[in-house]
Amino acid sequence: MFAIDEHLKYLYIINLNINNQKQGYAMLNSNRPLSPHLQIYKPQMTSILSIMHRITGVALALGAVFVTLYIFSAATSAECFAHFQIFRASIIGQIILFGWMFSFIYHFLSGIRHLKWDSGCGIEMKSVYRSGWILIFGAIFLTLLLWVAIK
Amino acid sequence: MGGNKVTIMTDNNQSIKTDYAKAKGLGSAKSGVKHWLNARLTAIPLIFLFFYFISQLNVITTHDHTVFTNWVAQPINSIALIFFALCAFYHASLGIEEIITDYIHSETKKVLSIILNKFLFLIMGIISIYSILSISFGA
């Protein structure tokens, strides 16, 4: 009789394991608590500029849809192009255009900074912060300059 | 009598890689630096194309359809635009692939997202190049 109990206990434990596996690794991962990281780490120029490079990259990738639509509307017909120009002149169009222009200029300058690092130059902390300030002011200045230039 | 001298030989070039693995020269990502290098290689022409398009900015931002299509129809501009489309969409695809592999952990969702990403940028590239050629060779 005790052997049957052991056998039943064994089957019960096997059943538990199978159920855990059925729920999959995602279930086990999402139950774990994580230690705080973004909430407590002090934002620094290095990390902010780095994530801005990624964020502007995503913004450019989304804006690439509009670039495709732009050139496609020009290829379709003059009226289609005119519709696109009306969208571009609207408030939402201007916001998207400004955001895309800033993203382009920031990602461009930040990309050059990355290429410079890839060649090995300027990886000391002082140099990183100096090029970081040049990047910030350069991006803001060039965006405003080009924005005024296309008005 | 001198004693027996023991020569200690050390094999400093130990590696657990098979000969095939050594020949391929790949690391744990299994594809070497191809992704990283392609991102840089597509970035370099984009730098020069950026300067060129900035110099043509007042024509690119025109509201007039005829002016714009005449500008695109010029060979140098068509070629620059096609070059831009190829480099920019591939560069964007590589970048988004990195972001997907960084933030999506479910293997199914990751693979499907990467396939969708490559597909979308391929479609956008084809539509852009078709449009540029259509303006160049069309009416």
Side-chain angles (χ1 to χ4, degrees):
Chain A
M1 198 161 95
F2 298 114
I4 294 178
D5 281 341
E6 286 299 317
H7 194 60
L8 285 175
K9 218 190 291 184
Y10 181 62
L11 286 175
Y12 176 64
I13 292 172
I14 290 180
N15 199 33
L16 279 180
N17 287 339
I18 291 174
N19 278 337
N20 272 342
Q21 279 169 12
K22 269 190 202 157
Q23 283 158 7
Y25 294 108
M27 185 69 184
L28 297 171
N29 280 344
S30 64
N31 282 340
R32 279 190 288 121
L34 294 174
S35 54
H37 46 98
L38 287 177
Q39 302 91 311
I40 58 163
Y41 212 107
K42 172 181 164 186
Q44 295 158 334
M45 181 186 280
T46 46
S47 58
I48 300 291
L49 295 188
S50 174
I51 193 64
M52 279 300 296
H53 185 80
R54 181 165 272 200
I55 291 175
T56 50
V58 173
L60 285 174
L62 294 174
V65 177
F66 287 103
V67 172
T68 312
L69 284 174
Y70 183 55
I71 193 72
F72 186 67
S73 74
T76 303
S77 68
E79 307 144 48
C80 202
F81 191 69
H83 281 310
F84 195 93
Q85 292 299 324
I86 293 172
F87 171 70
R88 174 187 141 192
S90 68
I91 297 288
I92 185 76
Q94 296 278 289
I95 294 176
I96 292 176
L97 182 61
F98 186 77
W100 192 79
M101 263 182 57
F102 172 72
S103 297
F104 205 114
I105 291 167
Y106 181 91
H107 194 85
F108 175 80
L109 294 173
S110 183
I112 294 180
R113 198 165 166 242
H114 271 284
L115 285 176
K116 188 187 63 141
W117 287 334
D118 289 337
S119 70
C121 306
I123 52 180
E124 307 83 24
M125 279 316 290
K126 265 198 182 155
S127 202
V128 166
Y129 272 77
R130 198 181 326 137
S131 62
W133 284 117
I134 296 175
L135 168 64
I136 292 175
F137 287 121
I140 296 176
F141 173 68
L142 282 176
T143 306
L144 292 174
L145 188 70
L146 282 175
W147 185 251
V148 167
I150 65 173
K151 280 284 156 256
Chain B
M1 268 197 38
N4 291 329
K5 284 204 180 130
V6 177
T7 317
I8 300 177
M9 294 194 296
T10 52
D11 184 3
N12 287 325
N13 295 326
Q14 286 171 341
S15 171
I16 64 169
K17 282 183 163 180
T18 61
D19 288 338
Y20 182 54
K22 281 185 202 168
K24 284 213 280 193
L26 303 177
S28 62
K30 302 173 196 67
S31 60
V33 292
K34 184 175 98 159
H35 188 281
W36 179 89
L37 194 61
N38 280 344
R40 270 71 182 161
L41 288 177
T42 48
I44 292 172
L46 283 174
I47 295 177
F48 294 104
L49 287 167
F50 177 73
F51 284 127
Y52 178 67
F53 291 134
I54 292 290
S55 73
Q56 312 273 305
L57 201 56
N58 51 355
V59 186
I60 296 182
T61 56
T62 178
H63 294 267
D64 190 346
H65 183 246
T66 317
V67 170
F68 184 70
T69 47
N70 287 344
W71 179 82
V72 173
Q74 290 168 32
I76 181 75
N77 295 325
S78 278
I79 292 172
L81 282 171
I82 294 175
F83 198 16
F84 178 79
L86 288 170
C87 290
F89 288 122
Y90 186 44
H91 186 90
S93 175
L94 288 176
I96 301 294
E97 183 182 343
E98 263 185 31
I99 294 177
I100 290 172
T101 49
D102 275 350
Y103 295 135
I104 298 183
H105 305 294
S106 152
E107 190 67 25
T108 320
K109 293 196 187 95
K110 189 192 334 182
V111 169
L112 288 177
S113 301
I114 293 178
I115 293 174
L116 186 68
N117 154 62
K118 289 186 193 281
F119 196 58
L120 283 175
F121 280 109
L122 184 64
I123 288 191
M124 286 203 283
I126 291 176
I127 291 178
S128 301
I129 295 178
Y130 161 79
S131 304
I132 297 166
L133 291 175
S134 171
I135 295 176
S136 291
F137 301 142

